[in-house]
Amino acid sequence: MGNRATSLLPVAWRRRCTGGNASTVAVVGCITFFVAATPFAAQAAEELPGVAVSARAGGHDGEAAAVIVDDHDWFDATRQRPVPVRLYLPAAAAGEHALPLVVFSHGIGGSRRGYSYLGTYWASQGYASLHLQHVGSDRSLWTGNVFSLVGRLQAAAQEDEAIARVGDLRFALDQLLAHPQLAARIDPARIVAAGHSYGANTVMLALGARIERHGRVIDLADARLRAAILLSAPPFYGERDSAKILAGITVPTLHVTAAEDIIRIPGYYSGAEDRIAVFAGIAGPRKILAVFAGGSHSMFTDRAGSGGVELNAQVKAATRDLSLAFLRSVFGGGDASLRDWPARYGSIVARFVAEGS
């Protein structure tokens, strides 16, 4: 499929972290800084599978709701690729009615255990949440020789893996909707995709972002997806016409970022302005942008201290509330919560834009 190094990369990588003739010490220093900045170095708390946990509504004093967390280790025999998932379900609604579903794709180096603050919250509010693990770009990247970390990260961001991640999403949906016990609990007409960073890139491809290679359009759209929540969405590397690429996305989208939402991967850089460019390039029927003041790129993971301990907690609560308001709006629950959200979180929101209806 052509030059793998300059195709469907998940971020607009532009600046070198170190110069072309940097010493080994400088390179190791850059790697050490990056690893220390990841949510995995912080050992974020993770829910245990197969048990009921409590989730409290986004920062409010409502009663805690029980949530069931369950892991499944699926395997796609066609692609010879494992697809581990974690499923969050509301315990109270077992067997009562079909649930809307959010399918979540993690960022580079993540796992199905991540973003639990969203999975547990959505489930506590009556949504199923299926968190994928992409084995070619998951937390296993952090294991092994530190001197080969840069190579592992760059390999995980190549075109084959970007496409495989969309295959993971499609396969996981197929499995869930055909599962003998779980399928009846999911409403196939109410499925939303969500993702952070590389995961947002995965979601955009699954929504219909179209890349042309050697005269052939790569179209990975999954018609089952009715809307999307894009956290820290990166543009497509090496592609100049964002509007053309994103024109195939025709569902409502929620874009969440921060003024300091900067992607730093050893060797490369993507500024916060790239998140705004993605929002501007999408021309769906409705799109919403929320930009938090300050912050950081990893603030939207389970890591508790990134972007500042106090702001981190506030942003997580605000993101939970905004995502729920968006989901309810998409599925006919009205727009009142969306309209009220900017005023409720005005002290930490730098910009809020709502376009379309």
Side-chain angles (χ1 to χ4, degrees), residues 257-282:
T257 183
E260 297 299 324
D261 185 354
I262 299 170
I263 299 174
R264 291 185 176 93
I265 292 178
Y268 303 99
Y269 171 96
S270 174
E273 66 277 5
D274 292 333
R275 320 297 159 256
I276 309 303
V278 169
F279 172 77
I282 289 180

Side-chain angles (χ1 to χ4, degrees), residues 304-315:
S306 180
V309 174
E310 182 177 1
L311 179 62
N312 184 292
Q314 293 173 336
V315 166

Side-chain angles (χ1 to χ4, degrees), residues 95-125:
E96 293 180 5
H97 55 81
L99 303 168
L101 171 71
V102 181
V103 55
F104 195 96
S105 175
H106 64 72
I108 195 166
S111 79
R112 62 184 172 183
R113 299 178 180 180
Y115 308 92
S116 62
Y117 77 98
L118 291 173
T120 53
Y121 179 66
W122 290 332
S124 76
Q125 301 300 306

Side-chain angles (χ1 to χ4, degrees), residues 46-57:
E46 298 169 341
E47 306 294 353
L48 295 174
V51 298
V53 298
S54 295
R56 191 169 295 280

Side-chain angles (χ1 to χ4, degrees), residues 108-151:
I108 195 166
S111 79
R112 62 184 172 183
R113 299 178 180 180
Y115 308 92
S116 62
Y117 77 98
L118 291 173
T120 53
Y121 179 66
W122 290 332
S124 76
Q125 301 300 306
Y127 294 78
S129 187
L130 183 68
H131 290 223
L132 312 177
Q133 182 164 334
H134 304 287
V135 297
S137 47
D138 63 4
R139 64 187 304 162
S140 65
L141 295 175
W142 311 121
T143 63
N145 192 321
V146 68
F147 292 100
S148 61
L149 175 59
V150 172

